[in-house]
Amino acid sequence: MRILALLAVLALPALAGDAEELAARLKKLQADEATRRLPLAEHCEKCKMWKEAKEEYDRLTELAPDNAQVLEKSKKADEMAKISQARPAKAEQEAYAAGKAALGRDMSKKYWELALWAAGKELREDAERIAGMAERLDEGMGAGESPQSKKFYDALHPAGDERKKAVDALNGYRKKCGLPPVVFSATISAGAQRHAEYLVKNEGHPSTDGLGAHNEDPALPGYTPEGERAGKSSDIGQGPPVPSMINMLGTFYHRIPLLHPDLKKVGIGWATKDGVADRGWCVIDCMSAVGKRDDKLPRLVAYPAPGAKDVQRAFDDELPDPIPPGEDHENGEAITLSWFGAGKISGGEMEVRVDGAAIEGYFSTRDAPARGDHGNGNSLCFIPKDVLPPNAKVEVKAKTSVDGKPLEKSWSFTTGEHEHDAWKK
């Protein structure tokens, strides 16, 4: 007997009002997905494609969490995936792939349409939750940002979504470094938003001071598991999304994850305090969606980017603080060289010249990090002791090694008039 009983829990209720209508339409849509996904799960089970079967039954479990038979089949698929040596025929794999793609395309379109409808009814939180469902289907097909996604966010934020503008700003900097663009993620943003709201509710509490801003206490108001996870994988600022994003790129530690070649998606949460438009907490989740290493992409990333012009002149302060204790904080833009490939860097040196003259700075490596309690990872960092002069040519020569093999990079960039990009834009 097929698991048609799972559809019963998704029956369409006759309710009134926009919120009730949205709930009803969502249940109907999920019932449609369950009806079409069940044959895919059974096909995988029959053909002993256990990994794929687990994925399908896991999704069916989400659609019908109270269905014991689906739960049992998911457990069985998980167990078999760990021990099975079966090799399904190519035709069976292709049939599954085609069915999954067709389902993904159709259901993604329908979820986006429902999210757009919810946005039009000003049910913003629900709209973004449903957008996350559509986004997940797009991701399962290996798709980037879909046309429906752009239409949805344009409708949700007619004057422009500050969070998406922040991602666009990030992509501008990534492009200069030869890196692929990242996509704004509604799914990841949901957790980031919860954490931003938590920080607003608990601002001033000792547990949120300093690096405590990355944590959540279950005993405090606004705690959510999603927010807690987001806090640990995010850069966190106290300004609106665009300047917060640009500010992070002007630091050392917070810059590195934003320039990871394999970063696919970014989520952003922004919660204002006391109704003041530019006062609040911005949570930029830039570590939850790093994909598999793609060696076709640059693995050595220099910043500021080679050939960059109009570069900010000063360092943006951050916590942890990479400036040595007792030194002033009137420093120049951090210069970094980061290795994102296999192996670990060892040692290193960096010579920086401004208009031909060597300058002094705080230099750190993996072996000699800027802080004893916070490593450099696979990055060299040089922070000039003084703010860089305007309209100056900065030349950099860096050397290190990866698993004993020499690695060198020489590049240059030109400063602009302004000290901080975030203040300029």
Side-chain angles (χ1 to χ4, degrees), residues 137-219:
L137 288 167
D138 291 339
E139 184 177 344
M141 295 184 291
E145 186 173 26
S146 68
Q148 295 98 326
S149 171
K150 184 178 186 308
K151 185 177 180 180
F152 168 75
Y153 287 109
D154 287 347
L156 195 63
H157 304 277
D161 186 341
E162 287 298 311
R163 300 169 306 167
K164 294 203 75 177
K165 289 180 181 179
V167 174
D168 290 342
L170 170 61
N171 283 333
Y173 287 91
R174 285 177 63 91
K175 183 177 181 180
K176 292 177 183 179
C177 295
L179 302 173
V182 298
V183 174
F184 174 78
S185 168
T187 305
I188 299 173
S189 293
Q193 184 63 34
R194 299 292 85 76
H195 190 60
E197 293 167 355
Y198 170 89
L199 291 173
V200 168
K201 291 177 180 177
N202 296 289
E203 185 170 323
H205 192 279
S207 68
T208 64
D209 287 346
L211 295 178
H214 290 277
N215 304 320
E216 290 197 11
D217 184 342

Side-chain angles (χ1 to χ4, degrees), residues 191 194-195 216 218 222-232:
R194 299 292 85 76
H195 190 60
E216 290 197 11
Y223 168 84
T224 62
E226 299 82 5
E228 183 178 33
R229 286 193 295 271
K232 296 181 185 301

Side-chain angles (χ1 to χ4, degrees), residues 266-277:
V266 170
I268 299 178
W270 166 237
T272 58
K273 184 170 178 60
D274 300 329
V276 181

Side-chain angles (χ1 to χ4, degrees), residues 52-283:
E52 293 83 355
K54 175 171 171 47
E55 291 177 3
E56 297 301 334
Y57 279 121
D58 282 351
R59 175 55 182 161
L60 285 169
T61 298
E62 294 174 10
L63 294 169
D66 297 325
N67 190 287
Q69 193 173 356
V70 171
L71 288 169
E72 187 62 33
K73 284 182 172 290
S74 177
K75 291 179 182 178
K76 176 185 175 182
D78 184 35
E79 293 171 358
M80 294 302 297
K82 296 174 182 177
I83 62 174
S84 176
Q85 300 295 319
R87 296 185 178 181
K90 183 178 180 180
E92 294 169 341
Q93 294 175 325
E94 290 176 345
Y96 168 66
K100 180 181 179 181
L103 172 63
R105 285 191 302 269
D106 189 38
M107 295 307 303
S108 169
K109 180 180 178 182
K110 291 179 179 179
Y111 279 117
W112 279 122
E113 289 173 348
L114 184 57
L116 189 60
W117 180 88
K121 299 296 183 180
E122 299 184 357
L123 300 169
R124 175 172 173 165
E125 188 170 328
D126 289 322
E128 292 201 323
R129 178 170 57 89
I130 296 169
M133 298 175 187
E135 183 182 85
R136 179 176 173 181
L137 288 167
D138 291 339
E139 184 177 344
M141 295 184 291
E145 186 173 26
S146 68
Q148 295 98 326
S149 171
K150 184 178 186 308
K151 185 177 180 180
F152 168 75
Y153 287 109
D154 287 347
L156 195 63
H157 304 277
D161 186 341
E162 287 298 311
R163 300 169 306 167
K164 294 203 75 177
K165 289 180 181 179
V167 174
D168 290 342
L170 170 61
N171 283 333
Y173 287 91
R174 285 177 63 91
K175 183 177 181 180
K176 292 177 183 179
C177 295
L179 302 173
V182 298
V183 174
F184 174 78
S185 168
T187 305
I188 299 173
S189 293
Q193 184 63 34
R194 299 292 85 76
H195 190 60
E197 293 167 355
Y198 170 89
L199 291 173
V200 168
K201 291 177 180 177
N202 296 289
E203 185 170 323
H205 192 279
S207 68
T208 64
D209 287 346
L211 295 178
H214 290 277
N215 304 320
E216 290 197 11
D217 184 342
L220 292 180
Y223 168 84
T224 62
E226 299 82 5
E228 183 178 33
R229 286 193 295 271
K232 296 181 185 301
S233 58
S234 297
D235 287 350
I236 299 175
Q238 289 183 278
V242 174
S244 284
M245 179 69 79
I246 296 172
N247 176 258
M248 297 304 166
L249 289 161
T251 68
F252 167 31
Y253 298 123
H254 294 78
R255 168 193 298 173
I256 305 306
L258 293 168
L259 298 179
H260 198 300
D262 303 311
L263 180 62
K264 303 298 183 186
K265 296 183 178 184
V266 170
I268 299 178
W270 166 237
T272 58
K273 184 170 178 60
D274 300 329
V276 181
D278 61 353
R279 183 166 180 251
W281 289 88
C282 183
V283 178

